[in-house]
Amino acid sequence: MSNLIKNNAIVADEWTRVIPPSLGEEVVKKQAGKVVLFKLTGEPTYSPEQIAATQIPATGKILLPLTVWQANVAQLAGRMAAGEIAILIATHEPLESLAATFSDINELPLIAVFVERFPDGRIFTMGNLLRTRYGYKNELRAVGDVLRDQLFFLKRSGFSSFLIRADRSAEDALSSLQDFSQPYQGAVDEALPVWRRVNRSHA
Amino acid sequence: MYKYDAIDQQIVDERVKQYRDQTRRYLAGELSEDEFRPLRLQNGLYIQRHAPMLRIAVPYGMLSSEQLRKLGDIAKRYDRGYGHFSTRQNLQLNWPKLEDIPDILAELATVQMHAIQTSGNCIRNITTDQFASIAPDEVIDPRAMAEVMRQWSTFHPEFALLPRKFKIAVSGTKQDRAIVQAHDIGLEFYKDSNNQVAIKVWVGGGLGRTPILGTVIREHLEWQHALTYCEAIIRVYNMHGRRDNAYKARIKILVKALGIEEFKQQVEAEWAHIKDGPNTITEAELNRVAQHFEPMPYESLPAHDTSFDAAIASNPAFASWIKRCTHAHKQSGYRAVTLSLKPHGKPPGDISSEQMHVVADLADAYSFGELRASHEQNLILADVKLSDLFAVWEKARAAGLATPNIGLLTDMICCPGGDFCSLANAKSIPIAEAIQMQFDNLDYLHDIGDLELNISGCMNACGHHHVGHIGILGVDKDGSEWYQVTIGGKQGNDASIGSVIGPSFSAEEMPGVVQRLIEVYLKERTDEERFIDTVRRLGIAPFKAHVYAEKEAA
Ligand code: SF4
C-alpha cells in the first residue's frame, strides 16, 4: 500500500528513490556527551566515495540526491529530458546549489525535500523559498520523517505531496490537511492574510 | 480589549479538536513520547515533577473579568484551587491531568482563551507593558499591534518548528517596562520626526544560560512592515540558527556568531523580497483591531478627590498602599492599582480560585471589567477612580491582595523552581518565602525602597534573575542545591546584566546574604539613591567583602 498523499488522496508512488550506500562506520557526532541530532546548514550529506558507489537504476523514474545528479549530469541528460529524473535535497543542503545546477528548475517534474527528523523546521522555509523565490511550479514533496501533525504546515509552505513515514497510516494522516479552515497569516498556499481575504469588520 | 469574531473563535475551536485527537493518539500509543512532546509543548503542556503543568495564554497580559472567573473555576475543577501567574504574563496550572487538558481547552475556548504556543520552539506569547494605554509616558498604545502580531504568529506555518523558543515584546513608552532588550525580537514604538508611528527593532536579546541584551537591527521601521520584517529575521534564524546544540540555538547566538552587521545584511536581503507583500499591515486592519482598544468611557473628574485625600491623611496603612500599589494615570481622577500576589510567606504569583473571583468582581465594580497580568507576576486594575480606591483597598485587603510591597524587596519575581519544574537545579519558592519572612517588616521594607529581587531555579532564567537588582540562581553542586547571587542587573532603557558576587550559598544562608547586601546599601547610600544606583556607583566589591567577611568569620 502506498503511503503517498497527493491532491488529498492516497496515490501510487511512481518514483524510485535512489539512496547512496553507507560505506563503513557511520560516525556519530556528539557534543557535550549528547548525540547531535541535526546537521548544520551547509554540511555535506554524502562523501565522494558514497556518491561514486551509488547504483542508479537503468530505467524508470528515479529520485536522485542533488549531489548524485551533479556527479552524473552527462550520463543522465537524456533521461532528464525524458522527464525521468527528480531531485531530492535535504534540509541542511543549501537551496542555492539546487538553483545553480539547473538553468530552469521547472525542468524538474518533482523536487523532494528530505527531513531526517520532523522537528527540523527548515523544511518549511525551504518549501516557501522554492515556491516564492525560485518560482518552482511542479510537484514539491516532503520525504523522510513526515508525520500527520506537520502536514498542515507543510501544505501551507508550498508542498503538494507528502510521503508519510512508512510505519504510519497515510489514511489517518489525510484529515490533518484540513486541521484549520481559515488561517490568519498569508503563506504559500494562500498568499493573503485573513484580513485581505474576508471583510472582518462584519465577520 | 480584543473580542473574538467568528474567525478567531473557529481557530481556537479547531485547535481544541486537533489537540483532543493528538491526546487521544498519544494515550492510544499511536504517537511516541518524542512525537507528542512538541505537540503538547506548543499547547503549553509540560510534564513536571509531580504532574503536567499547563500554561494558559494571556495575550499581552489582558484579561476580562469573565475570563478570570473561568480560570478560577477551571483551577477549582481540574486543579487544586489555585493558579500561578508567570513572568510571561501567562497563567500556569500545576496539577492538571493530561487526559483532562482537551476539556480544559474547550472550557477556555468558551471565553476566548487558549494555550496555543505558550511553550515549545515557536513564537511565544507576545508581551508588553502592563500599563499600556494608561501610562502617562506612553507614546503609542502597543496593544493593537500586539494583537495583530498574535494573530500573525498563531500557527505560522513557516515558523512552526524553530531551532528554539522565540519571544517577542512590544513597548510604546518612553520608559521601557516590557524589557524589549531581553527578547529575541523587541519592538519599540515611537513617533518619528514626521510624527508617524515607527518602530525601533531590537534583536538577539535573551536571558537563559548566556544572557545577552539585544542590539538594534533597525532604528526606523514603518509600522506597516512589522510583520514582514519579523518574517525576514525569523526566516534567517530558522535556516541558520543552530539545531545541533540546544544551548546554542537561540537567535542571540546566531547574531553573535555572524556579528550584527552581517546578520542585518542577511535580514535586509531577505526582507527586500517580501517587503510590501501581502502580510504588510494595512491601515484598515490596524484600525479594525484598534477599535477594540479605544480609551475607556472615563468620567471627567478633577485631579483631586476630597474623600480620597482625607482617607490618606487619616489612614497610614491606606496611604502606604496608595504609595506602593497605585500608579499615575493619563486620565485625571484615575489611578491604576496593582494587586499584590506577593504576600509574605506565600509562593510569588500564586492566586487561589476564590481570589480570582474577588479580583474579577473588583474589576467589574471599579475598572470596566478588565485586568492585566504583569511580568512581575501581579494583577492590575488599570482604571480606578480616586473616590473608589478606599473601597478597592478594603476588599483587596480582606482577600490578601493588598500587601503594600509593590516594587519593594518582597515583590520578588520567582519561577516555580524545584517544587514543580523538572528542569530545576534547585527550589526557588522556599527561598522567596524565607527572604520574605526575613524582611517581614513593612517600615523596614519601605526604608529600603525600590528593589527588584529575581529568583530562577536554573539557568533557563524564567525568573529573570540576570536583570534583578539582586538575582538569585539555583545551581547544582554534586547533587545538592546551591544559590549563586548576582547584583547590579536591571530592566528598562538602561538595562544591564548582573555580576556574580562570588561562590554560591546554601538555602539556609540566603536570607542572611540578602540581609548583608542590604546592610551595605543602607550604610553607603546617599540621599535618594536606590539599591541599584549604589551598586552601580560602588561596584560589587564592598558588597562582596561584607557578605563573605561574615561568612568567613562564621
Ligand atoms: S528557571 Fe529553570 S527551574 Fe525555574 S521554571 Fe524555568 S526552567 Fe524551571
Side-chain angles (χ1 to χ4, degrees):
Chain A
M1 175 74 184
S2 166
N3 242 14
L4 180 66
I5 296 178
K6 193 174 157 179
N7 299 329
N8 286 318
I10 295 165
V11 298
D13 186 358
E14 42 183 21
W15 294 91
T16 304
R17 186 172 150 205
V18 175
I19 302 175
S22 61
L23 300 174
E25 293 274 301
E26 285 268 321
V27 209
V28 179
K29 258 206 344 195
K30 286 196 177 176
Q31 215 164 50
K34 282 192 184 163
V35 179
V36 172
L37 297 176
F38 298 95
K39 295 193 178 71
L40 287 177
T41 300
E43 243 178 82
T45 314
Y46 303 112
S47 67
E49 295 75 33
Q50 280 179 290
I51 293 169
T54 304
Q55 301 278 338
I56 299 175
T59 56
K61 293 184 157 190
I62 50 174
L63 175 59
L64 291 180
L66 176 62
T67 45
V68 173
W69 161 258
Q70 285 165 338
N72 294 280
V73 177
Q75 300 94 294
L76 297 173
R79 294 181 68 185
M80 174 63 81
E84 285 182 0
I85 309 273
I87 295 296
L88 177 137
I89 183 167
T91 50
H92 61 277
E93 294 175 331
L95 277 180
E96 293 79 7
S97 72
L98 173 68
T101 305
F102 300 95
S103 54
D104 173 9
I105 61 168
N106 283 312
E107 278 173 52
L108 293 168
L110 166 74
I111 295 175
V113 182
F114 174 74
V115 62
E116 192 174 355
R117 303 175 53 80
F118 77 88
D120 185 350
R122 286 178 288 197
I123 191 170
F124 306 125
T125 292
M126 290 174 85
N128 186 311
L129 291 177
L130 279 166
R131 294 298 193 197
T132 62
R133 187 73 37 87
Y134 297 103
Y136 180 65
K137 297 196 177 64
N138 303 326
E139 182 175 348
L140 181 58
R141 181 180 295 186
V143 175
D145 198 11
V146 178
L147 303 173
R148 69 177 275 188
D149 294 294
Q150 284 74 50
L151 285 196
F152 185 75
F153 298 132
L154 287 167
K155 173 179 92 166
R156 295 222 66 209
S157 300
F159 286 86
S160 55
S161 65
F162 316 89
L163 186 61
I164 300 295
R165 202 174 76 192
D167 63 335
R168 291 299 153 88
S169 152
E171 194 74 52
D172 289 349
L174 265 177
S175 66
S176 288
L177 285 169
Q178 317 316 330
D179 273 349
F180 296 94
S181 23
Q182 193 69 276
Y184 281 126
Q185 61 296 99
V188 179
D189 60 337
E190 169 54 80
L192 301 181
V194 65
W195 79 81
R196 290 185 197 264
R197 269 180 266 141
V198 290
N199 184 348
R200 292 190 77 183
S201 45
H202 305 293
Chain B
M1 61 188 276
Y2 187 74
K3 297 267 185 316
Y4 282 9
D5 66 7
I7 290 168
D8 301 301
Q9 190 64 47
Q10 184 177 34
I11 285 176
V12 294
D13 290 344
E14 287 174 338
R15 171 53 160 186
V16 174
K17 182 163 162 268
Q18 180 194 41
Y19 190 73
R20 195 181 285 286
D21 187 59
Q22 290 170 341
T23 304
R24 177 196 64 73
R25 283 185 278 136
Y26 170 68
L27 293 172
E30 293 170 31
L31 276 172
S32 71
E33 213 52 75
D34 278 351
E35 288 160 10
F36 186 52
R37 185 180 308 109
L39 306 180
R40 65 170 164 78
L41 284 177
Q42 301 221 349
N43 206 25
L45 187 67
Y46 286 80
I47 303 296
Q48 297 283 54
R49 292 239 150 138
H50 313 286
M53 181 272 276
L54 178 67
R55 186 181 289 157
I56 297 164
V58 181
Y60 39 91
M62 296 288 301
L63 273 172
S64 70
S65 55
E66 185 198 10
Q67 290 174 328
L68 188 62
R69 278 192 198 97
K70 176 59 90 178
L71 292 171
D73 294 344
I74 288 174
K76 181 139 242 157
R77 167 135 189 235
Y78 297 97
D79 204 298
R80 298 192 178 172
Y82 70 92
H84 171 82
F85 278 98
S86 81
T87 55
R88 288 206 66 70
Q89 303 177 301
N90 291 316
L91 182 88
Q92 298 180 175
L93 296 177
N94 282 319
W95 311 92
K97 289 205 202 64
L98 191 138
E99 314 76 274
D100 286 341
I101 305 296
D103 292 337
I104 296 176
L105 296 178
E107 292 221 22
L108 288 172
T110 65
V111 292
Q112 311 191 346
M113 294 188 85
H114 59 79
I116 297 164
Q117 290 167 217
T118 52
S119 180
N121 297 335
C122 52
I123 303 174
R124 302 284 189 88
N125 185 23
I126 290 159
T127 49
T128 191
D129 175 15
Q130 65 266 30
F131 299 117
S133 85
I134 57 161
D137 71 334
E138 183 170 271
V139 186
I140 284 129
D141 180 351
R143 294 175 303 166
M145 279 299 277
E147 175 60 26
V148 168
M149 298 196 72
R150 179 192 76 81
Q151 298 190 12
W152 157 81
S153 63
T154 298
F155 304 128
H156 195 299
E158 190 179 340
F159 307 135
L161 292 164
L162 295 169
R164 202 71 179 82
K165 58 187 170 186
F166 203 91
K167 299 180 176 180
I168 302 178
V170 297
S171 148
T173 50
K174 293 207 181 80
Q175 288 301 317
D176 169 42
R177 279 180 294 269
I179 18 181
V180 293
Q181 293 183 51
H183 284 77
D184 296 285
I185 293 180
L187 301 177
E188 191 181 328
F189 288 82
Y190 67 97
K191 286 256 174 77
D192 67 12
S193 50
N194 298 321
N195 211 28
Q196 298 296 312
V197 175
I199 309 169
K200 182 176 193 170
V201 184
W202 298 77
V203 73
L207 301 175
R209 179 177 286 244
T210 319
I212 302 178
L213 294 176
T215 319
V216 176
I217 179 165
R218 210 182 158 85
E219 288 284 348
H220 183 271
L221 180 74
E222 292 166 339
W223 61 266
Q224 291 87 339
H225 303 302
L227 303 183
T228 55
Y229 200 77
C230 286
E231 281 183 345
I233 293 175
I234 304 174
R235 180 173 286 176
V236 170
Y237 168 58
N238 190 37
M239 286 311 282
H240 301 288
R242 292 198 40 186
R243 290 172 195 268
D244 60 324
N245 181 336
Y247 297 127
K248 300 202 163 130
R250 295 285 292 269
I251 193 173
K252 61 191 173 188
I253 305 289
L254 178 67
V255 173
K256 251 199 141 175
L258 292 176
I260 185 69
E261 282 312 315
E262 169 63 20
F263 181 75
K264 178 180 171 133
Q265 196 246 309
Q266 293 190 15
V267 168
E268 296 275 333
E270 199 52 54
W271 188 49
H273 291 284
I274 52 178
K275 181 171 187 266
D276 298 319
N279 283 335
T280 306
I281 306 164
T282 56
E283 192 101 41
E285 171 62 3
L286 186 65
N287 288 343
R288 179 188 76 83
V289 176
Q291 277 171 15
H292 294 276
F293 301 100
E294 295 271 284
M296 291 297 183
Y298 296 116
E299 294 169 34
S300 57
L301 296 170
H304 285 277
D305 179 85
T306 36
S307 69
F308 171 69
D309 293 342
I312 289 195
S314 63
N315 190 328
F318 176 62
S320 92
W321 180 76
I322 290 292
K323 178 160 175 247
R324 293 310 322 184
C325 300
T326 70
H327 319 273
H329 200 293
K330 266 181 187 170
Q331 181 72 24
S332 159
Y334 285 81
R335 286 185 81 78
V337 169
T338 297
L339 298 167
S340 173
L341 302 185
K342 315 286 179 66
H344 297 171
K346 293 258 178 62
D350 275 12
I351 179 168
S352 69
S353 294
E354 291 73 24
Q355 285 176 317
M356 290 190 227
H357 277 269
V358 170
V359 175
D361 292 346
L362 285 173
D364 280 341
Y366 303 109
S367 195
F368 302 106
E370 289 188 8
L371 320 129
R372 295 129 185 251
S374 70
H375 80 265
E376 287 97 353
Q377 307 177 279
N378 293 307
L379 285 175
I380 282 116
L381 298 169
D383 306 285
V384 182
K385 283 191 278 190
L386 294 179
S387 55
D388 288 335
L389 282 168
F390 194 80
V392 169
W393 175 63
E394 286 194 306
K395 290 178 188 170
R397 199 160 69 138
L401 295 162
T403 314
N405 63 346
I406 298 307
L408 299 178
L409 191 152
T410 55
D411 179 19
M412 49 186 84
I413 294 180
C414 178
C415 80
D419 292 299
F420 298 104
C421 173
S422 50
L423 302 171
N425 287 325
K427 294 191 185 65
S428 50
I429 293 171
I431 300 297
E433 290 173 350
I435 295 169
Q436 284 174 334
M437 295 324 287
Q438 174 93 8
F439 289 90
D440 188 24
N441 174 328
L442 284 170
D443 291 334
Y444 185 45
L445 272 181
H446 284 263
D447 180 39
I448 298 166
D450 289 330
L451 197 149
E452 294 174 12
L453 190 153
N454 298 357
I455 309 176
S456 304
C458 76
M459 59 274 256
N460 284 320
C462 304
H464 299 174
H465 63 276
H466 306 290
V467 291
H469 302 169
I470 298 176
I472 299 174
L473 164 67
V475 291
D476 175 274
K477 267 207 304 207
D478 308 322
S480 57
E481 303 188 354
W482 290 80
Y483 297 89
Q484 187 185 71
V485 175
T486 51
I487 58 174
K490 191 176 179 305
Q491 51 176 327
N493 301 58
D494 58 343
S496 57
I497 305 272
S499 315
V500 178
I501 62 166
S504 41
F505 304 94
S506 68
E508 301 74 60
E509 290 175 296
M510 280 315 299
V513 169
V514 176
Q515 179 74 50
R516 287 189 287 280
L517 291 171
I518 298 303
E519 284 164 11
V520 177
Y521 160 65
L522 293 178
K523 180 156 152 277
E524 302 287 347
R525 71 176 166 189
T526 60
D527 295 350
E528 302 294 307
E529 210 174 45
R530 298 164 303 170
F531 177 84
I532 179 70
D533 304 318
T534 308
V535 175
R536 285 186 167 179
R537 179 169 56 83
L538 297 177
I540 67 169
F543 293 90
K544 182 175 178 160
H546 187 54
V547 169
Y548 290 97
E550 299 248 344
K551 197 171 152 85
E552 271 153 34

